[in-house]
Amino acid sequence: MTSELPPQLPLDSPAPTSSTFGTVAAASVMAECLRVQADVPPRGAVARRFGRSPLSDESRPWYVGALGELDVASRLDSLGDEWTVLHSVPIGTRGSDIDHVVVGTAGVFTINTKFHEDARVWVGSRRLLVNGQATDHLRNTRYEATRTQKLLSAAAATDVPVGGVIAIVGAKQITIREQPADIAVLDIARLTRWLKKQKPRLDESQTAALSTLVRDAATWTSEPKHETDVSGFDALHREVVGAKRVRMIWGGALLIAILGVSVQMALDYFGRLLGG
């Protein structure tokens, strides 16, 4: 049973971050993004000139999801040496993974990153809504925390406290009506501060033992690790950022042109008044 816990995209994103035992942040999301993007035809000269995004409607959700996980990973990596931080932790035998796992004196936390660009998020004790629509975020995060608790407790031969956290990225508004009893829902900006404020539950030796345990890939899965094409995702990211910059340049040029015409019309108008 899990422990009870108290209650717009930037132009650039963090570089992929390595975890303790060799995977990288957002590994599975990047892989799926590249898999879907592989079916998208390359942009032509005109599309590149006018800054059309290389992403398709199908690959874009995976792309922004990866950026969300990379953002969370970058913040978690700043926690300090007293914390152990892992990303894209493989679990089980079906290719599933946990976005982030952190270990400190407050215990173990699984962190489920959810990117909801410009959305309104509402949180109640039993529901999490995005733009008024129900989600499975609470259920899925609870399942990840419970599964992690069982795995770590079995490996450690003692009960290991595990809490579930949902990190919200990119939302326009987050309304916390009531925090769920067993899941903490947090805006990404509050994540590391919240972790550091949790009351200690483990002593130094217990924390060190758990840190060693979570670093062991055998704790999580018996499947071989699959390499992530980080350079491929980085190249795609550079292309997306470049296209956005081109659109910004065109937008600025258009605005200048509109303002120029408006100023000239005003000058002409006042000129006629003065001349008349």
Side-chain angles (χ1 to χ4, degrees):
M1 185 174 182
T2 58
S3 62
E4 290 192 356
L5 301 172
Q8 204 122 192
L9 281 180
L11 192 61
D12 298 304
S13 71
T17 308
S18 294
S19 76
T20 305
F21 60 81
T23 58
V24 297
S28 62
V29 189
M30 286 193 291
E32 187 62 18
C33 175
L34 293 175
R35 186 190 70 78
V36 176
Q37 185 67 19
D39 295 329
V40 180
R43 296 178 298 161
V46 174
R48 291 195 302 273
R49 185 172 297 125
F50 287 97
R52 196 192 77 189
S53 174
L55 298 169
S56 67
D57 291 342
E58 291 74 23
S59 61
R60 188 177 187 279
W62 296 104
Y63 172 79
V64 296
L67 293 190
E69 289 191 32
L70 291 169
D71 194 353
V72 171
S74 177
R75 294 168 190 262
L76 291 175
D77 287 350
S78 68
L79 279 173
D81 294 339
E82 63 270 28
W83 292 84
T84 297
V85 179
L86 298 90
H87 312 297
S88 303
V89 178
I91 187 168
T93 58
R94 297 184 180 180
S96 301
D97 70 5
I98 300 172
D99 295 344
H100 319 275
V101 175
V102 298
V103 180
T105 57
V108 181
F109 299 90
T110 61
I111 301 175
N112 190 2
T113 297
K114 292 299 176 186
F115 192 107
H116 293 296
E117 190 175 9
D118 293 330
R120 297 181 184 276
V121 177
W122 183 93
V123 181
S125 61
R126 298 184 179 181
R127 294 189 300 166
L128 192 156
L129 309 180
V130 176
N131 292 332
Q133 300 297 312
T135 70
D136 294 329
H137 297 349
L138 293 177
R139 183 194 67 185
N140 293 342
T141 303
R142 186 172 294 117
Y143 175 76
E144 287 183 351
T146 300
R147 193 176 185 189
T148 298
Q149 193 271 340
K150 290 179 179 178
L151 283 175
L152 293 182
S153 296
T158 186
D159 186 55
V160 175
V162 178
V165 178
I166 298 175
I168 304 294
V169 182
K172 178 187 297 183
Q173 179 182 354
I174 301 177
T175 301
I176 307 293
R177 174 72 177 274
E178 182 180 359
Q179 282 280 10
D182 57 343
I183 302 293
V185 183
L186 305 168
D187 180 86
I188 185 177
R190 295 183 54 228
L191 178 59
T192 55
R193 185 167 65 251
W194 181 89
L195 286 168
K196 290 177 179 179
K197 286 183 176 180
Q198 298 311 294
K199 294 180 179 180
R201 305 182 63 179
L202 305 172
D203 61 30
E204 190 174 319
S205 62
Q206 289 173 320
T207 304
L210 270 179
S211 296
T212 300
L213 197 61
V214 298
R215 287 189 180 99
D216 185 356
T219 299
W220 304 98
T221 181
S222 58
E223 287 192 336
K225 187 187 76 173
H226 299 288
E227 296 298 329
T228 303
D229 185 6
V230 175
S231 61
F233 185 83
D234 184 60
L236 176 62
H237 174 61
R238 291 176 184 277
E239 192 176 356
V240 172
V241 171
K244 186 171 184 177
R245 286 186 173 132
V246 170
R247 293 196 301 275
M248 291 173 66
I249 292 171
W250 277 108
L254 180 60
L255 179 61
I256 291 172
I258 292 173
L259 290 175
V261 170
S262 299
V263 170
Q264 186 60 50
M265 289 177 65
L267 291 175
D268 292 343
Y269 173 74
F270 286 111
R272 288 195 297 271
L273 287 179
L274 292 173

